[in-house]
Amino acid sequence: MQPVNEAEQRRHLAGAFRWAARLGFNEGVANHFSALVPGSDSQFLLNPPGVHFSRITASGLLKLDASDTGGGRPAGVDPTAWYLHSHLHQLVPHAKVILHTHMPYATSLACLQDFELMMLDQSSCRFFRRVAYDRTFSGMFLNDSEGPRLAEMLHDGISTMFLGSHGVMVVGNTVAEAFDELYYLERVAQLHVYAMSTGRPLMLIPDDVAELTCKQWLAYPEGADLHLQAVMGILDEEEPAYRS
């Protein structure tokens, strides 16, 4: 579901915010989603500071230019968002959409020493060899060097990053693609926590089967698009103000 113009991109991103709030993916009024404006390689949309995910509207999203770095961080923009999202949009070709959260189950795993996602089930396999791990937490993203550092880890094929002692981030070519990835990441993380909490031996899927299943996930017809369409359909009925 490739948006054809800025208005459509705004609606898709606002819908993702609203549904993320329903799922409990947000943390207070922190965390940020951003998306490039269709047809631009530097202008992007970002949530404004202090607005709860459940109150985001399409028209309320900020429009920024990642290439506008001459004067430093723009006024009225959260600094941690600017230092991360502006660089990633510029430096990572497949980071047209960036979703960063502290959602509980995935963040719990990000706090485990030397943790790596295991191939426990079918949904885990969609992340096979598509995850990076940043294990160098040094405080909040208030340094202009953080974006370029993380960009180096998001090479081709990597869609997901565990930020040690911090949270997670996913990138994608469309809002639908990135949101679907974020949704399944938290479900997979929840399964990991539940399975590990039993104390029983874990039955891991062999690499060759995990690789095949990952390819099947990525080739599955319109899965992410249908997911976002379904979400926006519910929002259209229950809280259409997100489109305004």
Side-chain angles (χ1 to χ4, degrees):
M1 191 161 55
Q2 186 71 46
V4 297
N5 54 42
E6 179 180 332
E8 191 171 20
Q9 184 78 305
R10 284 177 174 272
R11 289 192 293 271
H12 288 186
L13 194 58
F17 274 114
R18 294 286 184 117
W19 203 257
R22 291 195 183 199
L23 296 173
F25 287 2
N26 60 304
E27 184 170 66
V29 293
N31 300 164
H32 302 89
F33 293 178
S34 64
L36 284 177
V37 173
S40 174
D41 59 4
S42 63
Q43 292 184 323
F44 67 99
L45 307 173
L46 178 75
N47 48 311
V51 181
H52 197 272
F53 276 22
S54 66
R55 294 295 181 265
I56 293 289
T57 62
S59 63
L61 294 168
L62 303 176
K63 184 177 180 179
L64 306 169
D65 195 323
S67 64
D68 184 18
T69 57
R73 175 175 60 89
V77 178
D78 183 274
T80 61
W82 175 255
Y83 291 133
L84 182 67
H85 293 245
S86 64
H87 285 296
L88 294 183
H89 281 308
Q90 288 281 81
L91 298 174
V92 182
H94 62 290
K96 294 180 176 61
V97 177
I98 303 167
L99 311 181
H100 168 52
T101 76
H102 301 163
M103 53 193 188
Y105 287 100
T107 302
S108 296
L109 298 181
C111 295
L112 301 180
Q113 185 172 348
D114 299 324
F115 171 79
E116 290 193 7
L117 209 63
M118 296 174 285
M119 299 299 104
L120 287 177
D121 73 323
Q122 175 176 287
S123 294
S124 300
C125 291
R126 71 180 281 153
F127 298 99
F128 182 71
R129 293 177 180 167
R130 300 177 60 236
V131 181
Y133 300 89
D134 174 30
R135 307 190 193 279
T136 57
F137 178 75
S138 57
M140 298 175 71
F141 288 142
L142 293 172
N143 189 313
D144 199 43
S145 66
E146 287 293 276
R149 181 180 69 82
L150 295 181
E152 293 182 0
M153 303 172 67
L154 289 168
H155 49 77
D156 289 347
I158 300 297
S159 68
T160 303
M161 183 178 293
F162 279 84
L163 304 164
S165 304
H166 183 168
V168 292
M169 177 174 63
V170 302
V171 302
N173 286 298
T174 66
V175 173
E177 179 184 309
F179 186 75
D180 196 56
E181 200 89 318
L182 190 73
Y183 170 85
Y184 277 101
L185 179 62
E186 182 69 344
R187 292 300 294 263
V188 165
Q190 183 178 23
L191 176 72
H192 273 61
V193 172
Y194 285 170
M196 291 188 296
S197 70
T198 67
R200 297 286 300 275
L202 301 176
M203 184 170 63
L204 300 182
I205 297 172
D207 281 359
D208 59 336
V209 178
E211 182 176 20
L212 171 63
T213 308
C214 180
K215 291 177 180 177
Q216 293 171 332
W217 263 113
L218 298 180
Y220 203 82
E222 300 182 336
D225 291 347
L226 292 174
H227 187 183
L228 185 60
Q229 287 173 10
V231 163
M232 292 177 68
I234 297 171
L235 292 172
D236 286 342
E237 294 179 4
E238 299 181 358
E239 46 180 304
Y242 83 97
R243 287 180 165 266
S244 64

